[in-house]
Amino acid sequence: MDRENVILEDRWHRKILNAFWIVMLMFLAAQTVFLLSGEVLPGSSGKDAGSWVRTAGSNGLMLLLLVITELWLRYWPKHHKKAIAGCAFLWSCIFYIIIEPTADGAQMALLLPVLISIVYFDCRMLYGFGLFTMLAYIPIYFLIERSLYHKPIQEFIQTESVFAVSLMIGNVILFRVKEFYRYLRTVMNSEQQLLVEKTISDKLLKMDALTGLYNHKTFHEYLDALLEHTEKYHLPLQLAIIDIDGFKKVNDSYGHWVGDLVLKQVASTITAIMMPNDFAARYGGEEFAVIFADKSLAEAQSITEELRRGISIVEYSNMKGRPVTVSIGLCDYQPGDDKESLFRKADSALYYAKRTGKNKVVTANDAILKDSLESKVASI
């Protein structure tokens, strides 16, 4: 039994025992009022000392049972259910035999442990105490009710019948509870299966099937939310666009299946070098995009340079040793940038990297500066 179930069951022990204490206090109050008002207790000859002694003795036994059960629950870690049910049985016997032996229907007090077994949903306890109650009533009837109070045999048969019916009803209740529990588990398993299927479906809609990275649509959704967050809290952000150099030649020379292997390997290298706050996606056919968060431009540039080198040193057995390289355009977010301007800057840097030899990382600031210098040289 796990800890949560133990805690839950301990709460029920406490609630049932609290109910015993409440009934005991109410019963003591009722008896006190009964005696002080001059009424005669059942089984007594009047308001005499014997009545008070019998009342005090029986009540003392009932209180002693409750105290013993309290100590059991507090200091003995095992068999708490049996302690509660056993207390209920003895308590009901004292209640029935000593205090109200002549009252019609008082035998129903003996059903208390059966009712408690139902509360605990314990079938073994139900049958154990149910059968024990039916057997225990046999000597009670013949030694006390029939010999002292001359109750007819029909009352014995009726009482035993009530005990048997109560036992069967308790069994039906527990059976229905088990049926409902099985139904509830089936529903929960079905809902859990649907949740898993929905999660997988959502993931498939968000992921690129070939590379395992996020797809183009998910990338834009994430970037929109991240730009809003960055603008609001003035956080650093960089965007890198990565393009595989000469990828069309790879497909034409070695086949599309080799091209797929290249795409997977590049995606794997990107994933391996990413930090927890980074976000990568397959942006197009041979193009990837990475968002860096919580980093400076210099840190993002260092990571993309490491990524470029990592991709260039991978050996592909199906390409006869020909290396695969990438060009990377990197830009830094500036206050007021929207998604379009951010992509325009990263694309410009990527275009400059392609135009000036490929297999390199170029930042948007470097591209703008070098373009400006080239324009000046051309004009001279």
Side-chain angles (χ1 to χ4, degrees):
M1 184 180 297
D2 56 41
R3 181 172 176 78
E4 185 177 350
N5 286 339
V6 170
I7 293 174
L8 184 61
E9 196 164 87
D10 284 342
R11 288 177 183 170
W12 277 107
H13 298 331
R14 185 69 266 162
K15 288 179 180 179
I16 293 172
L17 203 53
N18 286 344
F20 277 139
W21 280 110
I22 292 171
V23 172
M24 187 74 237
L25 292 175
M26 293 174 62
F27 194 65
L28 286 173
Q31 287 183 93
T32 302
V33 172
F34 194 73
L35 289 171
L36 291 177
S37 65
E39 296 292 337
V40 179
L41 288 171
S44 65
S45 58
K47 186 180 176 184
D48 53 12
S51 299
W52 290 93
V53 171
R54 282 190 296 274
T55 302
S58 58
N59 289 334
L61 284 174
M62 295 169 72
L63 286 170
L64 180 61
L65 274 173
L66 293 180
V67 170
I68 291 173
T69 307
E70 286 280 2
L71 294 175
W72 189 320
L73 295 184
R74 187 178 294 259
Y75 298 109
W76 188 257
K78 298 180 180 179
H79 309 301
H80 286 179
K81 282 197 298 188
K82 293 181 177 62
I84 294 288
C87 173
F89 179 77
L90 295 174
W91 204 71
S92 61
C93 286
I94 296 171
F95 180 85
Y96 167 64
I97 298 172
I98 300 178
I99 300 175
E100 295 288 347
T102 59
D104 292 333
Q107 302 94 333
M108 298 306 104
L110 301 175
L111 287 173
L112 186 57
V114 174
L115 298 177
I116 289 176
S117 300
I118 295 174
V119 171
Y120 281 122
F121 301 131
D122 192 319
C123 194
R124 291 178 60 187
M125 184 184 292
L126 173 68
Y127 276 107
F129 280 105
L131 295 174
F132 186 72
T133 299
M134 294 175 67
L135 293 174
Y137 181 64
I138 296 173
I140 290 174
Y141 172 78
F142 286 102
L143 296 178
I144 298 175
E145 291 187 352
R146 188 172 180 81
S147 61
L148 298 179
Y149 304 109
H150 309 292
K151 290 189 176 182
I153 192 67
Q154 291 85 346
E155 187 164 342
F156 168 75
I157 296 172
Q158 290 173 357
T159 303
E160 288 286 23
S161 299
V162 170
F163 290 162
V165 170
S166 300
L167 183 59
M168 288 188 289
I169 291 174
N171 181 62
V172 170
I173 292 172
L174 295 188
F175 181 76
R176 289 292 294 151
V177 167
K178 288 180 180 179
E179 276 191 339
F180 179 74
Y181 179 71
R182 285 195 295 267
Y183 169 75
L184 189 62
R185 287 194 64 178
T186 302
V187 172
M188 290 177 65
N189 289 337
S190 298
E191 289 183 353
Q192 186 177 16
Q193 183 64 31
L194 288 173
L195 182 62
V196 170
E197 291 175 359
K198 184 178 183 300
T199 302
I200 294 173
S201 176
D202 289 344
K203 185 176 181 180
L204 290 175
L205 290 174
K206 292 181 178 180
M207 308 299 288
D208 175 66
L210 178 65
T211 63
L213 298 177
Y214 288 102
N215 59 26
H216 182 277
K217 178 177 180 293
T218 306
F219 176 80
H220 278 283
E221 290 174 353
Y222 180 79
L223 184 58
D224 286 334
L226 191 59
L227 282 174
E228 184 179 342
H229 189 74
T230 300
E231 180 70 29
K232 184 176 181 180
Y233 296 103
H234 308 289
L235 300 174
L237 181 146
Q238 296 82 34
L239 172 65
I241 298 179
I242 304 161
D243 188 82
I244 300 176
D245 298 325
F247 185 71
K248 185 176 183 302
K249 290 183 180 179
V250 173
N251 281 332
D252 292 342
S253 301
Y254 306 104
H256 287 278
W257 69 276
V258 176
D260 289 346
L261 291 176
V262 171
L263 290 171
K264 289 180 181 180
Q265 181 58 51
V266 171
S268 177
T269 307
I270 293 172
T271 303
I273 207 168
M274 281 172 52
M275 301 295 180
N277 290 333
D278 301 336
F279 186 92
R282 184 184 179 189
Y283 194 72
E286 70 271 22
E287 201 167 67
F288 300 86
V290 179
I291 301 172
F292 298 102
D294 298 329
K295 295 177 182 63
S296 64
L297 178 60
E299 290 172 329
Q301 189 172 4
S302 175
I303 293 173
T304 51
E305 183 61 37
E306 184 182 350
L307 173 63
R308 183 197 64 77
R309 286 196 301 269
I311 292 172
S312 66
I313 62 175
V314 175
E315 295 183 0
Y316 296 89
S317 59
N318 305 100
M319 294 175 58
K320 302 177 181 179
R322 174 183 171 178
V324 171
T325 63
V326 295
S327 299
I328 303 175
L330 177 67
C331 72
D332 191 32
Y333 170 81
Q334 298 298 324
D337 280 348
D338 56 16
K339 185 167 64 175
E340 287 72 20
S341 61
L342 201 64
F343 266 95
R344 188 165 53 249
K345 291 192 294 182
D347 269 332
S348 298
L350 175 64
Y351 175 74
Y352 191 87
K354 289 282 191 182
R355 188 161 56 90
T356 57
K358 303 178 182 179
N359 191 23
K360 61 174 65 176
V361 177
V362 175
T363 66
N365 292 338
D366 290 340
I368 293 171
L369 178 61
K370 289 174 182 177
D371 275 338
S372 177
L373 290 174
E374 288 177 359
S375 299
K376 288 182 180 179
V377 170
S379 64
I380 293 174

